[in-house]
Amino acid sequence: MKNDDVRLQIPGSLEPERFEPAVIRAELDRIIHSDTFARSERSRALLTYVIERDLEGEADRLKGFAIALDVFDREDSFDPSTDAVVRVQAGRLRDLLDSYYSGEGARDEIRISIPRGSYVPAYERVKPSADVLADGQQRPPAAPAIEARASNAAPGLVGQIITQGRTGLRRKLYLDMRLIWLALSLVIVLLGANIWLLVADGANRPDMVKVAAMAARTETEPAKVSPSAYLPSISITSDIDGSLRTALEDAIPRFGSVVYRTDRSSTVDEPLADFYLRAVPAGLSSMNIQLYHRESGILIGTDQVPGGLDAAAMNQHISRITSRFLPVGGVIYAFLESENRLNPLTRCLVLASAYFNKQDAQRHRDAYQCDEALLAQGLHSSLIFADLASLSVEVITDGYSYPIDIDFHKAIAYGRRAVELAPASSQAHRSLARALQAAGETEPSLDMIREAHALNPYDLSIAASYGNTLIATGDFETAVAVLERTIEASPVHPTWWDFATFIAAFETGRYDLVSLSSHKLVGHERSHYCAARLIAANLEGDDALREEMLAAITASDDQFFRDPLAFYRHIMPEAAAEKLVSALRDAGLPVARPDEG
């Protein structure tokens, strides 16, 4: 049965006030079409749902389970103990209602609220204060002396005179404020005119042009903010404690791709950041670590930590979890991309990550141009320079046509700038190590990647880079051990990890790992990946695959086929490079011997 009206008990009255459904729906329409709610589709949907259910006489249906199914498209298996979407969105809705009624809705006579502890809406008639202007802003407060006398005034004529005096003073203050703002506006206009004249007089002076550009900026062209503000933030809820919390608090701040919010008062109902981690018991002693997006309440990642772990084992599990969740190629950035929530900085970081996951000229150009555009806008970040350093190395080693003016000196300069901007950033140190290694500066490169690994021993991608640098120094035994452990802990990873593992395994005679890592290169057409599969196929006696890879390599006209020895010399010592070329020759690739010219 539909409600013919909605009742609310007013203090001091015997009967609750009756509101017509049309009145409530009119207020709902004002709210959901306001600027406050313009960017929150879920809050609009939730508010509309709870009010319509209430007006339809179905307030008893307003429970978390029904809301999860009807509003947030959860399945019948929805469990509120592990999925906080309803609680999170209800909290968000309460915050937005408070913001609305303190601004745009300050003059609304009917106010809607969602009392805590319930999802049933409440309605209240509020007479707008005389202190509220037509645009919803507050009038300037009355003078303290008048207020003090008014509080003690007797009723009657004296009270009326005091009230009128207070109103007159408020009006005078309001007019005075308008005059002050008018004067300030005039000063700003005159200042702008003077700056324009100075610029016209000294047009060839770049410092004056810069001042003029700053002065010309308007509210429609907001000042550029630091790129660090664009990074997603993450917090840990108060239900995570003990050694698990200690390990997470040590690991999370080391990942420069996110901003860590440290306040321990953060809870499931009131998380502080864009994303938050919570722990739910799983079994007798294990904990299920859950990663949520705060605004939507969506559970975007889970992992499990067994109980009774020592510090070393705990760190290994935290390394796996944080390496899945936090880096640019991890769960958080994948969610932002899938939900179309990327901003200019995170979009560029994702493009660079996509290139290193699957390398080709177009992906490389997209990532490089994105970073260049950010620099042109003045959005300098250590992460941008780190990506440019690594992408610049790829221009040289893979022969990309864009950009045309890159050399190792420029790549190293980008890497050094990244370290200067963020001296505690493992990503910055890794980018510089990559540039130094490609330029043949092996020992400085090894020092730099060791520093990166020390800054963040939890990041498996840093560990993989460390293993790759060990290959350049010829320490294949250590490299294969590091890479094998890293890949075991990270089933999903970039292809270059498998290629590096192939190299280290081949040089140490680990032919089981040669075969395993080469099979993971399937689907990648780059010649040196095909060469790895060619060598593995020859070792395995797979003639069909060997012929297929021979055809693929010889049909290409890239740098690798023209001189594979030169390619390998860039990434490992001479003797190791010659060993690989000899294996290619044994597999049937027409590679000239050194004594043949």
Side-chain angles (χ1 to χ4, degrees):
M1 177 188 298
K2 294 183 179 181
N3 286 345
D4 294 328
D5 51 49
V6 181
R7 298 182 178 184
L8 177 72
Q9 182 68 46
I10 300 177
S13 67
L14 296 178
E15 293 291 336
E17 183 175 1
R18 299 174 183 271
F19 290 104
E20 293 291 334
V23 173
I24 300 301
R25 289 191 171 100
E27 178 64 12
L28 170 64
D29 187 69
R30 280 190 288 272
I31 294 172
I32 64 177
H33 289 95
S34 67
D35 290 340
T36 305
F37 278 73
R39 296 185 179 180
S40 186
E41 181 179 352
R42 288 193 161 205
S43 292
R44 296 196 303 269
L46 177 57
L47 183 61
T48 302
Y49 176 82
V50 297
I51 288 178
E52 288 299 334
R53 294 286 71 73
D54 186 44
L55 297 182
E56 293 290 331
E58 299 178 3
D60 57 343
R61 179 174 168 75
L62 294 177
K63 308 295 183 184
F65 183 82
I67 293 173
L69 269 61
D70 294 348
V71 180
F72 302 117
D73 298 323
R74 293 301 195 263
E75 303 293 337
D76 291 342
S77 58
F78 170 76
D79 182 359
S81 67
T82 59
D83 190 340
V85 61
V86 180
R87 294 195 302 274
V88 170
Q89 288 302 317
R92 170 71 171 159
L93 175 57
R94 294 184 185 104
D95 291 343
L96 286 175
L97 286 171
D98 288 344
S99 298
Y100 172 75
Y101 285 120
S102 65
E104 296 174 80
R107 293 183 61 84
D108 292 5
E109 292 189 7
I110 304 298
R111 295 197 174 186
I112 299 173
S113 62
I114 310 295
R116 294 191 179 277
S118 170
Y119 300 118
V120 179
Y123 316 97
E124 179 183 9
R125 186 181 299 279
V126 178
K127 185 177 181 180
S129 169
D131 292 341
V132 178
L133 302 176
D135 60 359
Q137 301 298 313
Q138 297 291 321
R139 292 184 186 275
I146 297 294
E147 292 291 347
R149 288 196 299 271
S151 64
N152 297 318
L157 181 60
V158 174
Q160 293 177 17
I161 292 172
I162 292 174
T163 300
Q164 292 170 2
R166 177 168 51 192
T167 303
L169 181 58
R170 284 177 177 160
R171 183 177 296 109
K172 183 177 184 302
L173 287 172
Y174 174 62
L175 293 173
D176 288 345
M177 290 299 295
R178 293 188 64 181
L179 289 173
I180 290 171
W181 280 112
L182 181 60
L184 286 174
S185 299
L186 181 59
V187 170
I188 291 171
V189 170
L190 292 174
L191 179 61
N194 284 330
I195 291 174
W196 183 86
L197 290 173
L198 286 171
V199 174
D201 186 55
N204 294 325
R205 295 172 56 187
D207 53 334
M208 295 306 302
V209 175
K210 188 174 182 179
V211 171
M214 293 175 63
R217 183 182 290 133
T218 66
E219 289 184 2
T220 59
E221 298 173 1
K224 298 178 179 67
V225 297
S226 168
S228 63
Y230 289 143
L231 294 176
S233 58
I234 184 170
S235 62
I236 305 173
T237 59
S238 56
D239 61 350
I240 299 181
D241 217 333
S243 61
L244 179 56
R245 186 181 191 95
T246 299
L248 285 169
E249 287 181 333
D250 184 44
I252 294 175
R254 297 174 184 264
F255 287 83
S257 50
V258 295
V259 177
Y260 177 46
R261 303 295 185 200
T262 59
D263 191 341
R264 287 181 64 94
S265 67
S266 173
T267 66
V268 171
D269 290 326
E270 299 293 337
L272 296 172
D274 302 320
F275 298 86
Y276 64 92
L277 287 170
R278 65 170 301 199
V280 176
L284 296 177
S285 58
S286 298
M287 298 297 289
N288 189 9
I289 308 301
Q290 301 177 339
L291 175 64
Y292 285 89
H293 180 238
R294 177 186 58 78
E295 182 181 348
S296 66
I298 295 175
L299 174 65
I300 67 170
T302 62
D303 213 312
Q304 194 156 318
V305 176
L309 298 175
D310 59 21
M314 175 65 75
N315 286 342
Q316 183 177 357
H317 281 280
I318 296 304
S319 180
R320 183 191 70 252
I321 292 170
T322 51
S323 292
R324 281 188 57 218
F325 289 173
L326 305 183
V328 174
V331 172
I332 285 178
Y333 277 78
F335 171 81
L336 292 174
E337 184 177 16
S338 68
E339 294 287 307
N340 197 27
R341 294 174 180 266
L342 293 174
N343 58 60
L345 175 61
T346 53
R347 176 176 173 272
C348 288
L349 298 178
V350 165
L351 286 175
S353 176
Y355 164 74
F356 284 109
N357 278 328
K358 188 175 182 181
Q359 299 172 354
D360 61 49
Q362 186 58 53
R363 286 170 181 257
H364 180 274
R365 180 185 287 259
D366 291 344
Y368 208 106
Q369 290 181 332
C370 189
D371 284 339
E372 284 183 318
L374 284 187
L375 291 185
Q377 296 168 31
L379 295 175
H380 291 191
S381 162
S382 174
L383 294 173
I384 299 173
F385 284 105
D387 276 348
L388 281 173
S390 300
L391 291 168
S392 295
V393 169
E394 296 291 305
V395 175
I396 304 166
T397 58
D398 284 33
Y400 293 134
S401 60
Y402 184 89
I404 60 175
D405 58 345
I406 289 297
D407 56 26
F408 285 126
H409 293 294
K410 198 163 194 176
I412 292 172
Y414 280 138
R416 293 197 188 282
R417 183 60 177 148
V419 173
E420 289 172 1
L421 290 173
S425 167
S426 58
Q427 291 96 325
H429 284 75
R430 175 174 59 179
S431 71
L432 180 53
R434 181 176 291 166
L436 290 168
Q437 178 184 339
E441 301 288 340
T442 303
E443 288 304 320
S445 172
L446 185 58
D447 290 342
M448 197 58 59
I449 195 63
R450 281 175 176 157
E451 180 67 16
H453 189 52
L455 288 168
N456 189 1
Y458 298 94
D459 190 336
L460 294 175
S461 67
I462 298 290
S465 294
Y466 180 37
N468 198 41
T469 306
L470 289 169
I471 290 174
T473 67
D475 188 355
F476 297 108
E477 292 287 350
T478 306
V480 76
V482 169
L483 289 164
E484 188 174 18
R485 287 197 304 269
T486 302
I487 286 177
E488 285 177 356
S490 182
V492 179
H493 52 263
T495 309
W496 68 264
W497 294 20
D498 297 305
F499 179 69
T501 304
F502 165 85
I503 296 292
F506 176 81
E507 297 292 344
T508 55
R510 285 284 309 277
Y511 296 135
D512 59 325
L513 196 54
V514 165
S515 178
L516 180 62
S517 56
S518 69
H519 287 305
K520 294 180 181 179
L521 300 175
V522 174
H524 301 277
E525 304 304 323
R526 306 180 78 190
S527 291
H528 57 285
Y529 288 173
C530 291
R533 296 182 63 202
L534 170 63
I535 292 172
N538 191 50
L539 291 173
E540 295 169 358
D542 188 341
D543 290 336
L545 179 59
R546 185 176 64 82
E547 293 295 335
E548 179 185 343
M549 292 300 101
L550 277 173
I553 297 171
T554 54
S556 67
D557 186 29
D558 60 16
Q559 180 180 351
F560 178 85
F561 176 65
R562 291 192 295 272
D563 192 351
L565 182 59
F567 175 88
Y568 289 133
R569 279 173 177 163
H570 279 298
I571 59 177
M572 69 189 73
E574 177 86 15
E578 290 177 352
K579 183 178 177 181
L580 276 166
V581 172
S582 178
L584 288 174
R585 193 180 295 111
D586 292 343
L589 191 67
V591 181
R593 297 181 184 276
D595 57 2
E596 295 176 350

